[in-house]
Amino acid sequence: MKKLLIRHAQILLPSEEFLVGDVLIQEGKILEVASEITETDLTTIIDATGLTLLPGVIDPQVHFREPGLEHKEDLFTASCACARGGVTSFLEMPNTRPLTTTQAALDDKLHRASQKCLVNYGFFIGATPENLPDLLTAHPTCGIKIFMGSSHGALLVSREQELETIFAQGRRLIAVHAEDQARIIQRRQQFYGITDPAIHSQIQDEETALNATKLALKLSKKYQRRLHILHLSTGIEAEFLRTNKSSWVTAEVTPQHLLLNTDAYAQIDTLAQMNPPLRSPENNEILWQALLDGVIDFIATDHAPHTLEEKAQSYPHSPSGMPGVETSLPLMLTQAMTGKCSVAQVANWMSTAVAKAYHITNKGLIKSGYDADLVLVDLKNYHPVLRQELQTKCGWSPFEGWNLTGWPVVTIVGGQIVYERGKLNTEVRGQAINYQL
């Protein structure tokens, strides 16, 4: 079979050192990484002079809206956005219509993805108070998603007794949206009638998040159950985890909770509204330090698009959520270029550490035998986030106008070029992610 050769790239090695050299790919796998590779039997040569080669991003928390909410996003448009953003694999959440709470619903999503997704895909099974048998047997899935708050209907599992039933049985990873639903309800009543979207951060305040994180960690310790805390948003949670986090617990943070804060409401109004909410500016620095120190393990986008028409509704009728897969990597690489962190740390937080936490095989490193899920980025030039260039169906970004570096030039999924210099190859299809149990 013909081979693909990437030449003269600055390659991030597993040692976190860089090598200027070549990468040879065949049948979706990395065959060789070396300073120079001589190969004549080639399909394609990519001249990567001046570009940096990183493992493809694995985004472990997205909401791609299909089935049932395709007017906001669908698996095809979302995976196009992934390809443009250097995201080669994603793990998607269960709050679609119907909910992903049964094997049949999981199978349906896997089938849809096989037909539509330009990148690799995996799906969570959603917990309800009644579907424990499905949580124990659903396959293949990256884990169980529990909405402890900020949800309604069957996916809301907010009572300790219901939560304990899930934690007590099985070994599968549990990922929690940690907000205290009872406190949210009480504070909604307290602040009823206020239409300024900034009140959202007061209603779902820092204590709302901390209460739920403490409860999840208590149950995780009681049953030594693998726990992942989604989109950590507060400094008080980070500091609590600093002294109380067990070895089997991981946590993530989003670029928006690192880079945006409550000041954004005055600038972009309800486009800044998300769950858990943006926090006061001092939280940004505490979260950054927790990420640098390893208290927070990796980064996810919580890509959760809504149409501009939906977002234009007055609070509290405006929905919470924002897109992110197209901008996450350049946002973080721009921070690396300012000295906030290193490029190697960004790649670890956005790929290597995610693969490790979710036991994803053969992804997250540029290494012989690993899947050829790769992204070539330009760290020498800057380009603004422009609405007209976005591939996400919702067509907007909270980071519109930000001038970023590290934009993907070429994205490779399973050895196939899916995005190159502004053009998508929509014929490429990703694969279902494999998990090592």
Side-chain angles (χ1 to χ4, degrees), residues 22 31 90 121 140 158 175 206 217 221 224 231 236 243 248 261 267 272-273 275 284 325 350 353 357 403:
D22 303 347
L31 281 186
F90 65 80
Y121 47 87
S158 59
E206 295 177 30
L217 197 65
K221 287 184 175 181
Q224 296 199 3
H231 44 42
I236 55 175
T243 55
W248 58 85
N261 53 56
Q267 299 163 347
Q273 181 187 332
N275 295 328
N284 296 134
V325 292
M350 300 190 76
N403 202 32

Side-chain angles (χ1 to χ4, degrees), residues 101 125-128 131-138 144 166 172 225:
T101 56
I125 186 84
T128 76
N131 74 332
L132 184 61
D134 294 277
L135 302 183
L136 295 172
T137 61
I144 298 166
I166 297 168
R172 181 167 283 162
R225 185 66 180 268

Side-chain angles (χ1 to χ4, degrees), residues 237-254:
E237 287 174 284
E239 292 309 301
F240 174 75
L241 290 181
R242 188 180 291 276
T243 55
N244 292 280
K245 184 182 171 193
S246 302
S247 61
W248 58 85
V249 174
T250 51
E252 71 186 30
V253 67
T254 69

Side-chain angles (χ1 to χ4, degrees), residues 13 56 103 140 144 148 248 294 388:
L13 301 174
Q103 184 67 53
I144 298 166
M148 299 174 70
W248 58 85
Q388 62 268 28

Side-chain angles (χ1 to χ4, degrees), residues 13-296:
L13 301 174
S15 64
E16 298 193 343
E17 298 173 323
F18 283 93
L19 168 73
V20 177
D22 303 347
V23 176
L24 183 63
I25 296 164
Q26 184 178 31
E27 294 183 349
K29 299 287 185 182
I30 298 170
L31 281 186
E32 186 181 356
V33 180
S35 56
E36 186 176 3
I37 297 172
T38 302
E39 182 70 37
T40 57
D41 185 26
L42 295 169
T43 302
T44 306
I45 298 174
I46 298 173
D47 182 359
T49 302
L51 301 177
T52 300
L53 186 67
L54 303 175
V57 172
I58 304 171
D59 191 334
Q61 193 198 170
V62 299
H63 302 262
F64 283 171
R65 307 304 191 195
E66 184 178 347
L69 298 164
E70 288 92 339
H71 69 282
K72 302 173 190 280
E73 190 80 278
D74 59 60
L75 289 168
F76 175 75
T77 59
S79 64
C80 288
C82 284
R84 179 174 180 256
V87 176
T88 55
S89 301
F90 65 80
L91 303 178
E92 205 260 354
M93 289 298 168
N95 54 331
T96 45
R97 296 178 183 172
L99 305 173
T100 318
T101 56
T102 65
Q103 184 67 53
L106 179 61
D107 289 343
D108 176 63
K109 272 193 177 177
L110 287 162
H111 176 71
R112 289 168 180 265
S114 72
Q115 302 297 304
K116 294 185 174 187
C117 281
L118 280 62
V119 302
N120 305 310
Y121 47 87
F123 299 98
F124 281 87
I125 186 84
T128 76
E130 287 85 32
N131 74 332
L132 184 61
D134 294 277
L135 302 183
L136 295 172
T137 61
H139 177 81
T141 182
C142 51
I144 298 166
K145 168 67 180 286
I146 300 180
F147 288 88
M148 299 174 70
S150 291
S151 186
H152 54 83
L155 278 184
L156 179 63
V157 186
S158 59
R159 298 181 180 88
E160 184 170 351
Q161 184 177 356
E162 296 170 343
L163 290 162
E164 184 155 7
T165 300
I166 297 168
F167 273 85
Q169 298 185 56
R171 297 176 56 241
R172 181 167 283 162
L173 175 147
I174 294 173
V176 294
H177 178 125
E179 290 190 280
D180 179 347
Q181 184 69 9
R183 184 173 175 85
I184 291 173
I185 292 170
Q186 179 264 316
R187 291 178 70 78
R188 280 176 181 165
Q189 295 170 346
Q190 180 180 343
F191 295 103
Y192 181 78
I194 298 176
T195 58
D196 180 353
I199 201 68
H200 189 63
S201 293
Q202 292 188 51
I203 293 172
Q204 293 170 219
D205 66 348
E206 295 177 30
E207 188 175 336
T208 297
L210 180 62
N211 289 351
T213 292
K214 284 183 172 180
L215 175 56
L217 197 65
K218 182 180 84 169
L219 293 172
S220 172
K221 287 184 175 181
K222 181 174 181 178
Y223 295 102
Q224 296 199 3
R225 185 66 180 268
R226 175 76 177 85
L227 172 67
H228 178 64
I229 300 166
L230 299 159
H231 44 42
L232 200 79
S233 65
T234 73
I236 55 175
E237 287 174 284
E239 292 309 301
F240 174 75
L241 290 181
R242 188 180 291 276
T243 55
N244 292 280
K245 184 182 171 193
S246 302
S247 61
W248 58 85
V249 174
T250 51
E252 71 186 30
V253 67
T254 69
Q256 51 268 35
H257 285 118
L258 292 172
L259 301 172
L260 298 176
N261 53 56
T262 47
D263 293 344
Y265 290 114
Q267 299 163 347
I268 59 174
D269 199 54
T270 53
L271 298 186
Q273 181 187 332
M274 64 174 297
N275 295 328
L278 299 177
R279 305 300 182 186
S280 56
E282 61 269 19
N283 284 280
N284 296 134
E285 289 305 313
I286 301 172
L287 291 171
W288 262 110
Q289 194 60 53
L291 181 62
L292 291 164
D293 293 343
V295 176
I296 297 172

Side-chain angles (χ1 to χ4, degrees), residues 305-327:
H306 302 281
T307 68
L308 284 166
E309 291 75 18
E310 289 168 333
K311 278 292 200 176
Q313 297 175 87
S314 62
Y315 186 84
H317 304 293
S318 49
S320 294
M322 55 181 68
V325 292
E326 282 177 86
T327 53

